[in-house]
Amino acid sequence: MASNKSIDKSKLLKRLNKDVKKIYADVVAKYNLEVDRVITDPNEFANLGFVEQDIVDTGRLRDSKIIETQGELSTRFSWDPVDPETGYHYASAVFWGFNAYGGSKFVPGRPWSERAVYNHDPVNYFAARLKKAGYNAKVVRDDTRTIGLP
């Protein structure tokens, strides 16, 4: 027969597993909203000179978002907008920057996914939610706060 202590540990582990999955789903949902907000905010990249100009001129970038889940704790976001006239897949050009007007002008990149991570701060949000749920959680290392955003 199992001891009370092992039963308590088993219940605690089940509760932790359930809470982690729930909180992770919330983190992903909030990031999903933030990334769309960043893409559509006409002033999100004002520091780069994009004032009253969002990065969704047609909605193709935002609408091309694909969210893939593998298991309950793995999520991958990707974007693949395509110019219908040229067939050009342009997400990387918007993200990293590109030369326009025959190469005479460089248009800076707008790394929307990294900006959303920076704004949302998912690592600290996750830890705060675990604390709120009653766990002694702390962030030991958070490389998301050191993203070199323009």
Side-chain angles (χ1 to χ4, degrees), residues 107-126:
V107 177
R110 288 152 290 167
W112 66 90
S113 58
E114 289 183 1
R115 179 68 64 95
V117 167
Y118 184 82
N119 292 347
H120 170 42
D121 194 8
V123 173
N124 285 297
Y125 179 76
F126 188 86

Side-chain angles (χ1 to χ4, degrees), residues 4-149:
N4 286 341
K5 205 171 202 178
S6 66
I7 292 171
D8 291 344
K9 284 181 183 180
S10 175
K11 286 181 180 179
L12 180 61
L13 286 174
K14 284 181 183 178
R15 180 179 153 234
L16 175 62
N17 190 33
K18 180 181 174 186
D19 288 344
V20 165
K21 289 175 184 175
K22 180 180 175 185
I23 293 168
Y24 176 80
D26 184 44
V27 169
V28 170
K30 287 199 179 302
Y31 174 78
N32 185 36
L33 292 173
E34 179 60 14
V35 80
D36 283 352
R37 189 201 66 75
V38 166
I39 289 171
T40 58
D41 183 339
N43 294 302
E44 184 66 36
F45 293 94
N47 63 314
L48 298 175
F50 298 99
V51 179
E52 291 301 316
Q53 178 185 354
D54 63 22
I55 58 178
V56 179
D57 56 346
T58 64
R60 284 191 296 266
L61 175 64
R62 181 197 60 234
D63 296 344
S64 74
K65 178 177 60 184
I66 297 169
I67 304 170
E68 298 171 283
T69 57
Q70 298 171 339
E72 296 172 289
L73 297 173
S74 176
T75 306
R76 180 178 181 261
F77 285 76
S78 61
W79 292 262
D80 188 22
V82 179
D83 183 319
E85 293 177 18
T86 65
Y88 180 62
H89 296 253
Y90 59 88
S92 62
V94 174
F95 190 92
W96 295 108
F98 58 95
N99 288 311
Y101 310 109
S104 64
K105 179 181 177 179
F106 181 72
V107 177
R110 288 152 290 167
W112 66 90
S113 58
E114 289 183 1
R115 179 68 64 95
V117 167
Y118 184 82
N119 292 347
H120 170 42
D121 194 8
V123 173
N124 285 297
Y125 179 76
F126 188 86
R129 286 290 313 274
L130 281 172
K131 280 185 178 183
K132 187 175 179 182
Y135 300 97
N136 186 14
K138 67 179 181 178
V139 175
V140 176
R141 181 175 178 166
D142 178 7
D143 289 341
T144 62
R145 304 308 297 163
T146 61
I147 293 172
L149 290 173

